[in-house]
């Protein structure tokens, strides 16, 4: 299992692929596949059969997973994509932005 620098709830920007430049919040991470679901990015249409929950059925839009390598954390100070580093403050491990050196 790999250590990921992106966590659920982080604001990220897509750096590669069809949705390059899109921003959103990470909703869920799949560690075994190294993929994440980002809110409002990589929307796909899915056909749904009528059911008790959805009696009408039809075509529904939902987010599809994106590979972690295509995502970059957004710097809280500048709002641009940044790399993530780790440092210890008061005996605790803290993530920080390499661009602005500010804790995330």
């Amino acid at each position: 299992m790999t250590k990921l620098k992106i966590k659920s709830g982080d604001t990220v920007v897509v750096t590669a692929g069809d949705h390059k430049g899109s921003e959103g919040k990470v909703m869920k991470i799949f560690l075994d596949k190294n993929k994440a679901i980002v809110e409002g990015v990589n929307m796909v249409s899915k056909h749904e059969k009528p059911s008790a929950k959805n009696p009408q059925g039809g075509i529904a839009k939902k987010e599809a997973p994106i590979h972690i390598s295509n995502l970059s954390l957004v710097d809280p100070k500048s709002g641009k994509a940044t790399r993530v580093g780790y440092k210890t403050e008061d005996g605790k491990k803290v993530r920080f932005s390499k661009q602005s050196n500010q804790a995330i």
Side-chain angles (χ1 to χ4, degrees), residues 61-75:
K61 294 271 192 180
K62 64 182 262 185
E63 292 96 354
I66 299 177
H67 200 272
I68 294 288
S69 66
N70 297 334
L71 300 175
S72 184
L73 203 66
V74 172
D75 185 27

Side-chain angles (χ1 to χ4, degrees), residues 25-99:
K25 196 175 222 178
V26 176
M27 294 168 45
K28 188 171 183 179
I29 292 189
F30 301 105
L31 286 174
D32 54 337
K33 297 179 184 175
N34 283 339
K35 293 189 176 200
I37 293 181
V38 182
E39 189 174 24
V41 179
N42 199 20
M43 299 294 284
V44 293
S45 299
K46 183 173 177 356
H47 178 266
E48 292 185 348
K49 289 174 73 172
S51 64
K53 261 188 179 177
N54 187 4
Q56 190 67 22
I59 299 171
K61 294 271 192 180
K62 64 182 262 185
E63 292 96 354
I66 299 177
H67 200 272
I68 294 288
S69 66
N70 297 334
L71 300 175
S72 184
L73 203 66
V74 172
D75 185 27
K77 193 172 184 181
S78 68
K80 294 181 182 177
T82 184
R83 293 178 297 148
V84 178
Y86 289 95
K87 60 184 173 184
T88 55
E89 290 180 358
D90 301 328
K92 291 188 177 182
K93 193 173 177 181
V94 178
R95 292 187 305 162
F96 73 97
S97 165
K98 293 240 180 167
Q99 192 172 24

